[in-house]
Amino acid sequence: MANPTLTRVPTMAEMAASGEQPEILFWVGCAGSFDQRAQKVTGALVRILNQVGIKFAVLGQEELCTGDPARRAGNEFLFQMMAAQNIATLEGYGVKKIVTACPHCFNTLKNEYPVLGGNYTVLHHTSLIQDLLDSGRLSVEGGLFKGKRITFHDSCYLGRANDIYEAPRAAMAALDAELVEMRSCKSRGMCCGAGGAQMFKEAEPGKEEVNHARTAEALDVKPDYVAVACPFCNTMMSDGVKYADRQDDVRVRDIAELVAEAAGLFG
Amino acid sequence: MAFVQPLIFTVLTVAAFSMAGLRFKRIYENIRMGQPEPVKGSLRNMILLALGQKKMFRNLIPALLHLAVYTAFLLTQVELLEIFLDGFTGRHRLIYYAVQDSAFGKGLYIAIISGIEVLSLLAFAATLAFLARRNLLKVLRFVKSEMNGWPRLDGNIILYLEIVLIAAIFTMNGADEALHRAEGKGSYGFLLSGNAVWLLFSGFSPETLAVLERVGWWFHILVVFSFLNYLPFSKHLHIMLAFPNAYFTRVSGNGQMRNMPEIQREIQSMLDPSALSGEALPPPDQFGAKDVQDLSWKQLLDAYACTECGRCTAACPANQTGKKLSPRKIMMDTRDRMEELSLNRQKHGPDHQDGKALLGDYISTEELRACTTCNACVQECPVSINPLSIILELRRHLILDQSSAPESWTQMFTHVENNGAPWQFAQSDRDKWISQTEA
């Protein structure tokens, strides 16, 4: 039975109607809203936010794609259109601080909206989780993942694009698991193959799929869990694990899921 | 006849510097073909990346080998100063004889020349290792298809020149040392030529030694002059352009694409016609980059600073999985197209259109489409080159000017525009997850 206070999701519209202002906006993103796998990560982050009592809200139907895949594909018109609408919405609600579980949304909101007039403090959920664990606002039981081998797949848009390598690792450190690094990790981490709008098209001709190659690197370190911090990496690595027929013994999980589970928030 | 050598030397020096100067001017003009791009000057970056080779140390063994050649090259510039002084005046070891009565001066001179000798020996070993890595071990990044032909030969020519240069240095110092001893003046005291190398020359007569010393000396300076003129036609130009390229750093981070204010204005006026006051700007001729002059000067400088080491390509996930894309080729194509365009303009006048372009004639759509924008190429470049930014500008041209997109991207665009998400879901279903989570 889900605890209703843990799974409550207020919207900005509701808050505004009752004259309230949330501490932080949870930018869910398209994957987090629509993709069934990513929805679970969204749910995990909602539980974490509620557990520690952060007053948050989501935009619900008022949120639109940030425009990242359009921009990377080359469609600047569409990107600018999405950005202008989103910034208008965010300004309308007086949003100051944003957390998101998608590194692509994170990067666009943080780095590409300011020049268009949208200035916010933007956090990736792994940084927020790291803060919550460090400050003791969130505590996890080590037992659940004790002795399990976990390897973290760096997201390009967290790592090389924004120099965030430690936050996800720090969050995982609390799990009391055995963290193992892949051959290429951190600033050398290999892409999952989804970025640059590749997620939305077939790969160009080649000898191998990028996600299969990356998953092979992950499987080389014999993990029980492949941890990710991006909904697209999640899809790519999950598909890679299935392609290698290892879905029964290797699980792909977002950092938020691992932490929420270890904190007993799925009760 | 004492004036003959200084005269020849002076003529050669003027000729070598003039020829090289013209070529460097051409390169400067080619870079100036580019569009404006704001940059900041960062001495720190130049000191860390170019002078300090910081990023080279991401791969330890090549970094150490490269360091040997690099430091030998740097220190040799001090000796070159004396060679120029000797060359112009017709004197021999002018600085040595000027400082020989001062214990400090002589000690420093001996230390510097000894340092050059030791580093030259290390550089010699490194050069052999480099030749082996390129030609025997065939390290993958050196044998990718874009390296076929001239690029591979270019890489080897430089290494052969280095061997000639080092041989000349030791011939010069070894013969000079043997002569010095034969004339009863004892040893100069240089570490390698004074203790070992001179023995190779000890059987020769003083006359032969004098000739050998001259041969070594002239070979040395001729290789330097050749190198100076070869550099600007070679990937080896990086030894100079790495410095400005590291100094001029991009204002935006790796995660930020260049904003297009012309499109931003267009969208603003669409969404809120009253927001924009004043003059309507004429629409630009085109969007994104089709040819080299559409790129920024920094992107063009990047292309000339590239030494084709291939660290970018080795790290590229598309290249690793057999796709056509190679970030190094993007840089080589940009440079080669600049050269072609400037040559054609030189022949046919500055407004000449040769009907070719970087996009299409050099870089194919298939290459551009394979990029995952992961920034691995940018991360790996030891001298701050950004191939990704060029790829993205060319992609913009494909979409915005040529409406060239794979069918699935066109659908994605439609979904984003109509449903606010890259998939075909109704915008009204965007918050469905909330009720599912709360249930």
Side-chain angles (χ1 to χ4, degrees), chain B residues 35-142:
Chain B
Q35 302 299 312
E37 178 179 342
V39 290
K40 28 176 215 255
S42 167
L43 266 179
R44 183 174 181 272
N45 234 25
M46 191 169 84
I47 290 167
L48 283 179
L49 297 184
L51 198 65
Q53 316 229 316
K54 182 180 167 203
K55 271 182 143 183
M56 288 294 287
F57 281 86
R58 288 170 72 82
N59 294 317
L60 187 62
I61 290 171
L64 292 174
L65 294 172
H66 185 267
L67 187 69
V69 177
Y70 167 71
T71 47
F73 176 81
L74 275 190
L75 201 57
T76 307
Q77 305 311 308
V78 181
E79 192 184 24
L80 213 50
L81 180 71
E82 185 175 44
I83 287 190
F84 273 102
L85 289 173
D86 286 354
F88 288 128
T89 59
R91 303 268 296 276
H92 180 57
R93 290 203 189 270
L94 191 147
I95 296 179
Y96 174 80
Y97 287 109
V99 300
Q100 68 168 342
D101 295 331
S102 138
F104 174 75
K106 189 175 171 183
L108 184 66
Y109 183 92
I110 290 173
I112 289 172
I113 302 293
S114 299
I116 291 169
E117 289 188 346
V118 170
L119 289 171
S120 295
L121 187 68
L122 291 174
F124 181 71
T127 305
L128 293 181
F130 282 151
L131 280 167
R133 283 167 63 83
R134 281 176 185 265
N135 301 295
L136 298 175
L137 302 174
K138 297 191 189 297
V139 172
L140 193 58
R141 63 185 159 98
F142 296 127

Side-chain angles (χ1 to χ4, degrees), chain A residues 61 112 157 188 198 208, chain B residues 58 257 323 369 373 427:
Chain A
Q61 291 185 22
E112 299 193 329
Y157 278 79
R188 294 175 197 264
Q198 296 292 338
E208 197 183 6
Chain B
R58 288 170 72 82
M257 274 177 74
K323 276 76 171 180
R369 292 269 165 75
T373 71
Q427 175 65 11

Side-chain angles (χ1 to χ4, degrees), chain B residues 158-334:
Chain B
I158 289 293
L159 296 172
Y160 296 139
L161 272 179
E162 270 169 28
I163 288 179
V164 174
L165 188 67
I166 293 165
I169 289 175
F170 281 112
T171 303
M172 179 176 87
N173 286 0
D176 198 19
E177 169 79 12
L179 186 62
H180 209 60
R181 287 170 182 253
E183 289 169 345
K185 295 179 191 164
S187 171
Y188 281 113
F190 306 145
L191 195 61
L192 296 185
S193 60
N195 289 310
V197 181
W198 76 276
L199 293 168
L200 295 172
F201 299 92
S202 59
F204 295 108
S205 69
E207 294 73 24
T208 313
L209 287 173
V211 170
L212 278 174
E213 189 277 333
R214 285 291 89 191
V215 168
W217 191 92
W218 276 102
F219 245 96
H220 185 177
I221 195 66
L222 286 175
V223 171
V224 169
F225 287 156
S226 317
F227 199 70
L228 180 67
N229 279 278
Y230 181 72
L231 263 194
F233 291 96
S234 156
K235 63 125 182 163
H236 224 61
L237 191 54
H238 82 287
I239 65 171
M240 297 171 85
L241 294 191
F243 288 84
N245 213 51
Y247 177 76
F248 295 117
T249 51
R250 292 183 157 82
V251 180
S252 50
N254 284 353
Q256 192 184 349
M257 274 177 74
R258 183 184 71 85
N259 190 38
M260 296 179 75
E262 64 276 29
I263 294 182
Q264 187 188 348
R265 279 182 69 92
E266 180 79 21
I267 298 295
Q268 275 174 343
S269 66
M270 252 173 60
L271 294 177
D272 182 7
S274 64
L276 288 179
S277 56
E279 79 298 358
L281 293 173
D285 297 341
Q286 61 163 41
F287 295 107
K290 183 184 185 198
D291 207 350
V292 284
Q293 68 271 36
D294 307 326
L295 295 170
S296 82
W297 67 271
K298 176 66 170 102
Q299 290 170 317
L300 300 183
L301 175 62
D302 273 1
Y304 274 121
C306 174
T307 195
E308 302 169 8
C309 74
R311 283 168 174 77
C312 52
T313 294
C316 174
N319 193 278
Q320 282 174 9
T321 54
K323 276 76 171 180
K324 252 187 163 180
L325 176 66
S326 162
R328 167 173 56 190
K329 180 177 170 291
I330 301 288
M331 303 319 298
M332 293 165 71
D333 285 343
T334 302

Side-chain angles (χ1 to χ4, degrees), chain B residues 25-41:
Chain B
K25 183 164 168 275
R26 166 72 77 81
I27 289 173
Y28 177 76
E29 287 164 359
N30 286 352
I31 292 169
R32 291 291 299 265
M33 284 198 296
Q35 302 299 312
E37 178 179 342
V39 290
K40 28 176 215 255

